[in-house]
Amino acid sequence: MATSNAILTVANLTDPATGKLNREVYEALVRREAMRTFGSCAPRYIRQASKLYRDHVAMQVTAWRQRSGLTVETTFVSAFGIHADGVRRSAF
């Protein structure tokens, strides 16, 4: 299905009703970014351009879950913390 340029925005990466990734918008944004930045849609440029939108998707899904009252699991990893027996800091 062809998508128009009017809906190709970062705000439309997730479906507001379900919180799922809108795959068509994601693919179109990634292809447009690859063409804009690298001038090609070769697989390596697609992979590089997709890295720009991964964080946006994760943040939007997390925000949707919070607005919907669902649980959000986050992990905080710090190099500075309380020493615990049996935990090696180099295990990160």
Side-chain angles (χ1 to χ4, degrees), residues 23-83:
R23 190 79 177 176
E24 293 175 357
V25 173
Y26 178 75
E27 289 175 357
L29 282 172
V30 167
R31 287 188 180 280
R32 186 169 71 182
E33 184 65 32
M35 284 300 293
R36 185 178 72 175
T37 306
F38 305 108
S40 173
C41 282
R44 66 181 178 179
Y45 299 135
I46 295 288
R47 282 191 301 273
Q48 189 67 25
S50 69
K51 292 178 183 178
L52 297 172
Y53 292 104
R54 289 180 186 163
D55 291 336
H56 291 293
V57 171
M59 288 187 294
Q60 286 183 1
V61 168
T62 301
W64 183 88
R65 290 183 63 86
Q66 287 175 339
R67 283 192 309 268
S68 299
L70 301 172
T71 59
V72 177
E73 295 180 12
T74 57
T75 302
F76 178 72
V77 177
S78 173
F80 308 101
I82 300 170
H83 174 71

